[in-house]
Amino acid sequence: MAYNLSVKVHPVVLFQIVDAYERRNADAHRVIGTLLGSVEKGVVEVTNCFCVPHKEYEETVEAEIVYAKEMFEFNKRVNPQENIVGWWATGHEVTSHSSAIHDFYSRECANPIHLTLDTTLQGERMGVKAYLNVPIGVPGGKVGCMFTPISVDVICYEPEVVGIQLASKTALSHKETVEPMMDLARIAEATNKLSGLLDTVLAYVEDVLAGKTVPDNSVGRALTDMINSVPKMSPEEFDKMFNSNIKDLLMVMTLSQLVKTQLQLNEKLTLLTSV
C-alpha cells in the first residue's frame, strides 16, 4: 500500500459536493458520494464526483450500491479516462460509519482515498481534508484500521480559473448571476489588477529600503524569482509583441463574429426555403 499519496482536487468537485449537500433530504445530516479521477506517480487527481444516496442509523449504514455502480457506468461512457479513486463525505471529521463505507470502495479500486468537506464551516472556512485507510495491529493479535491524513491541494485548469473569478464577483455584489466579459474587457480588468499588485510590491520595497518594514527573506526570494522569470526585452520589443497579440485577438474576434452572422443568415434562408 502506498502511504505517500497526495491529492489534487479540482474546484468543480467541491462545487458538486456543496450542491449535493444543499439538495439533501431534510432528515439527512450529511451526504456521501464517489470520487472520480486518475492516479499517477503517487498523485491522485480528482476531476469529477457524484452523490450516492444513503441512510445512517446508530450502528449501521445503508448505501445505494447498485445506484453507485450504474452512475459510474454512465459516467464511464462519457469520460472513459475517469476511474473511481475514492469517496467523499460532508462534515469536519471521520465518523463511525466511515469504515463500512470505505470497505465497499476498497473493493472498487486500490488504495481509495476519503475526502471530507466541512460544510458546517467550523473555523469560519470550508476545510478540505483527505485520508488514507491504513491497517494497524500486531502480528497474531487483533487488527484494525485507521484513517491517516494525507496532503490535499486545490488545483485549477485555466478555464476553471476564469469561471471561479467570474463566480467570485457575486460575493461583492447583490446580483445572483454575472455575465461573462468580452475578451478586451477581461484584458483591461486583468491589467488594472496587475497594476494594483505592482503598486503594492513597490510600496513594500520602498518601506523596506526606508526601514519602515522589517524585511522578509521569503518575500525577497519570491520577488527575485518573479523578476528573473520575466523575459528581458526592451520597451520597443514589448510594444511590438503586445500589439501583435492584440491584432491576433481582434482577428479571432472578427472571424468568430463573421461565422456567427453566417450561421444566423443560413438559418433564416433555411426557414424561407422550407415555407
Side-chain angles (χ1 to χ4, degrees):
M1 177 177 287
Y3 299 114
N4 57 344
L5 289 177
S6 61
V7 181
K8 308 292 184 183
V9 185
H10 286 264
V12 66
V13 177
L14 305 180
F15 280 116
Q16 288 177 292
I17 294 176
V18 173
D19 181 69
Y21 180 78
E22 291 294 327
R23 298 173 183 268
R24 72 190 187 281
N25 295 330
D27 57 344
H29 299 290
R30 72 168 185 162
V31 290
I32 66 171
T34 301
L35 294 174
L36 303 173
S38 59
V39 183
E40 184 178 359
K41 297 181 181 180
V43 178
V44 181
E45 185 174 354
V46 185
T47 55
N48 200 357
C49 71
F50 59 83
C51 179
V52 177
H54 83 297
K55 292 183 179 180
E56 295 184 2
Y57 303 97
E58 186 174 350
E59 296 182 356
T60 59
V61 58
E62 297 178 356
E64 298 287 346
I65 304 301
V66 177
Y67 173 87
K69 292 183 178 180
E70 290 179 349
M71 284 293 296
F72 174 65
E73 291 298 328
F74 291 149
N75 187 84
K76 196 72 174 176
R77 298 178 184 179
V78 181
N79 300 309
Q81 74 279 5
E82 291 182 345
N83 298 306
I84 296 177
V85 295
W87 64 287
W88 58 266
T90 57
H92 65 280
E93 61 183 1
V94 177
T95 67
S96 58
H97 299 114
S98 298
S99 296
I101 301 173
H102 196 86
D103 183 63
F104 163 72
Y105 286 95
S106 298
R107 299 191 295 268
E108 299 296 319
C109 66
N111 301 328
I113 63 168
H114 176 34
L115 186 76
T116 61
L117 183 65
D118 185 13
T119 49
T120 60
L121 301 180
Q122 289 199 0
E124 299 182 354
R125 64 186 303 269
M126 190 173 292
V128 181
K129 296 181 181 179
Y131 301 90
L132 190 65
N133 191 265
V134 179
I136 58 174
V138 294
K142 293 183 177 181
V143 295
C145 59
M146 177 180 64
F147 284 93
T148 302
I150 56 178
S151 63
V152 56
D153 296 307
V154 179
I155 61 173
C156 304
Y157 295 133
E158 290 187 4
E160 291 177 324
V161 173
V162 175
I164 291 176
Q165 291 176 347
L166 188 63
S168 63
K169 293 181 180 179
T170 59
L172 304 176
S173 65
H174 300 289
K175 298 181 180 179
E176 295 184 356
T177 59
V178 291
E179 295 293 334
M181 301 175 59
M182 298 296 292
D183 292 339
L184 290 178
R186 190 158 57 243
I187 291 175
E189 183 184 38
T191 303
N192 292 332
K193 184 178 180 181
L194 179 61
S195 178
L197 293 175
L198 289 175
D199 291 338
T200 303
V201 171
L202 290 174
Y204 171 80
V205 173
E206 291 175 356
D207 289 343
V208 170
L209 294 176
K212 299 179 181 180
T213 303
V214 179
D216 190 335
N217 294 334
S218 60
V219 175
R221 285 191 292 269
L223 292 176
T224 302
D225 294 338
M226 179 185 67
I227 294 173
N228 292 333
S229 64
V230 177
K232 295 182 179 179
M233 60 178 64
S234 63
E236 293 77 13
E237 293 175 336
F238 178 80
D239 289 340
K240 182 179 179 181
M241 180 191 68
F242 182 79
N243 292 329
S244 176
N245 291 333
I246 289 295
K247 290 178 181 178
D248 293 340
L249 178 60
L250 292 174
M251 182 182 66
V252 171
M253 292 176 61
T254 303
L255 291 175
S256 62
Q257 194 66 29
L258 287 174
V259 172
K260 182 179 178 181
T261 304
Q262 185 176 5
L263 290 174
Q264 291 175 347
L265 181 60
N266 182 62
E267 182 180 359
K268 292 181 179 180
L269 291 175
T270 304
L271 291 175
L272 289 175
T273 55
S274 62
V275 175

